[in-house]
Amino acid sequence: MSAGLALLSRVWTELGGDPRILGELASGAGEVPLPSRVATGDLAWASVGLATLAAGRHPSAMDPARIAMAYRSERVLTIDGTAPPVWAALSGFWRTADGWIRTHGNYPHHATGLRAGLRLGSTADADDVRDALAGRTSAEAIESISAAGGLAVAVSDEDPAADARLRQTALLDIRPIGTADPRRDVLSGSSSYPLTGIRVLDLTRVIAGPVCTRTLALLGADVLRVDPPGLPEPEWQHLDTGHGKRSTLLDARSARFEDLLAGADVVVLGYRPAALARLGLDPPSLARRHPGLIVAQLSAWGMDHPQRAGFDSLVQAESGIALIESPDGDRPGALPAQALDHSAGYLLAAAVTMLLRRRAHEGGSWWVQTSLRRVAAELLGMPRRAEPDDEVALDPAPHVARFPVGDTELVTARPALPGFEFAAPHPWGADQPRW
């Protein structure tokens, strides 16, 4: 049994899926062309396959090339014919006096914190950062950057014992968090759009959470993304993951926001757990106020680290993946896609879809959570290659869609799930905060 099929089979069983379907998958997983030493392609195939199964489709219909293109969607994204810069100048690997660190400066406030932590001016560029870090140890640099509100982690060796402990926990941790009557009348979708009639409140950013909610919208759900006023999202990032969703700006402490919660079937959370708890948006509090709610939660480092912010690239660096993927045994490397993010998104979408069916029959309030670090532990436990396969040149033409978004012409990757097509994203923040 291939690694991808083994992962899909295990998690499908844990989600309560029909085991008879697994007998039809004996041929194994398709080879997804995401070349790396770790089993990135197998992880991608299994993650998309679980969302496909939960949607009522068969993974045998999945196109491995389409999956690879979806995981690398930023490579085919264009806005009015131009590819946007997806990595800021202050995001990357930097050599220190005793090793390497990885920073993330795509958001302006994180770039400001990085400069402040290194005692650099507001116009400091990549060369200034490189010079400032060369004379510091990794620990010194991370401490000063973190204290100033920036994001940096050490590029570390893998810790097999820590990964093994993480793998003893569920990849998708599902817990009942309250009682409620069954809601058979809500789940009224067809085989074409199984989540028609479902309302999803999207409180996520960046990639993983938006991929989850984009997938739920693909299956017919009414998804409303809510962002706080004053914290803008990069346009390209929203357009790459906003398909089929409405988008609004609203303070989470407002009465209108509580009205939205009261009308929701599902809430998807992607902010730091501690920040959500301060707003009363932790899953147990949500379920107490709104019985019957399904809460899906994604964090970077897991619920044991509620204060800690993070991104896919940082988790790759600290978990050991960056050194495993080193191109020369010295410089850190990276996966061929933001695979922790994308996989977490599809996995959560699969769990939400299955929990909606469970709620229809059993009732209850439910909480499912995973983290990028838990997904990394899964990947690090899968078989590896001594060297990555050669890169496969893919023709993007069959795998992209074109949309008008306001006055913008958008080109993005088509869905990885077979038999579905995206609706256009709405402009960020352009919709009213209502169902």
Side-chain angles (χ1 to χ4, degrees), residues 29-240:
E31 287 286 336
V32 177
L34 291 171
S36 57
R37 293 186 177 91
V38 295
T40 307
D42 290 299
L43 174 66
W45 185 90
S47 301
V48 175
L50 284 160
T52 299
L53 278 173
R57 305 294 173 93
H58 201 282
S60 62
M62 298 191 311
D63 181 347
R66 177 70 57 82
I67 296 173
M69 196 69 71
Y71 267 60
R72 291 168 148 179
S73 56
E74 75 282 355
R75 300 191 182 194
V76 296
L77 177 72
T78 64
I79 302 172
D80 288 334
T82 301
V86 299
W87 286 106
L90 301 189
S91 294
F93 294 110
W94 310 90
R95 195 185 289 274
T96 63
D98 62 350
W100 293 86
I101 67 169
R102 174 88 194 202
T103 61
H104 196 286
N106 279 25
Y107 283 101
H109 60 289
H110 291 146
T112 296
L114 172 61
R115 291 187 177 102
L118 297 178
R119 298 180 181 177
L120 299 172
S122 60
T123 61
D125 61 13
D127 289 336
D128 298 320
V129 171
R130 183 175 295 106
D131 292 342
L133 287 169
R136 289 174 166 84
T137 66
S138 294
E140 291 168 345
I142 292 166
E143 182 178 6
S144 61
I145 292 168
S146 300
L151 292 177
V153 302
V155 177
S156 303
D157 289 315
E158 66 179 312
D159 183 342
D163 290 323
R165 288 193 295 272
L166 283 170
R167 289 193 296 272
Q168 290 175 357
T169 66
L171 181 57
L172 291 163
D173 184 359
I174 295 174
R175 305 178 187 186
I177 52 172
T179 58
D181 292 335
R183 302 178 68 175
R184 294 183 179 87
D185 58 322
V186 174
L187 195 59
S188 58
S190 65
S191 58
S192 298
Y193 296 101
L195 298 189
T196 299
I198 295 298
R199 291 173 170 176
V200 177
L201 200 58
D202 178 1
L203 307 181
T204 72
R205 311 196 80 165
V206 195
I207 299 176
V211 165
C212 170
T213 54
R214 180 184 70 183
T215 304
L216 300 176
L218 184 70
L219 303 184
D222 177 8
V223 179
L224 178 62
R225 171 171 166 160
V226 178
D227 284 271
L231 192 60
E233 184 82 336
E235 180 189 36
W236 74 265
Q237 200 158 261
H238 170 67
L239 292 177
D240 194 39

Side-chain angles (χ1 to χ4, degrees), residues 30 247 253 266 299 313 318 346 359:
S247 170
R253 295 162 291 194
V266 178
S299 62
S313 58
E318 190 172 294
Y346 290 115
R359 186 188 68 173

Side-chain angles (χ1 to χ4, degrees), residues 250-325:
L250 186 66
D251 191 320
R253 295 162 291 194
S254 67
R256 175 63 65 88
F257 183 81
E258 197 66 23
D259 289 342
L260 291 175
L261 282 170
D265 297 289
V266 178
V267 177
V268 185
L269 305 173
Y271 292 85
R272 287 181 296 123
L276 292 166
R278 287 194 292 270
L279 292 170
L281 299 179
D282 56 287
S285 295
L286 287 170
R288 280 194 296 271
R289 300 202 306 274
H290 304 288
L293 200 60
I294 292 171
V295 184
Q297 186 164 27
L298 183 283
S299 62
W301 304 100
M303 299 306 294
D304 292 339
H305 303 278
Q307 295 278 9
R308 195 176 182 198
F311 294 88
D312 183 305
S313 58
L314 301 181
V315 176
Q316 286 190 43
E318 190 172 294
S319 68
I321 291 172
L323 289 180
I324 292 169
E325 298 297 337

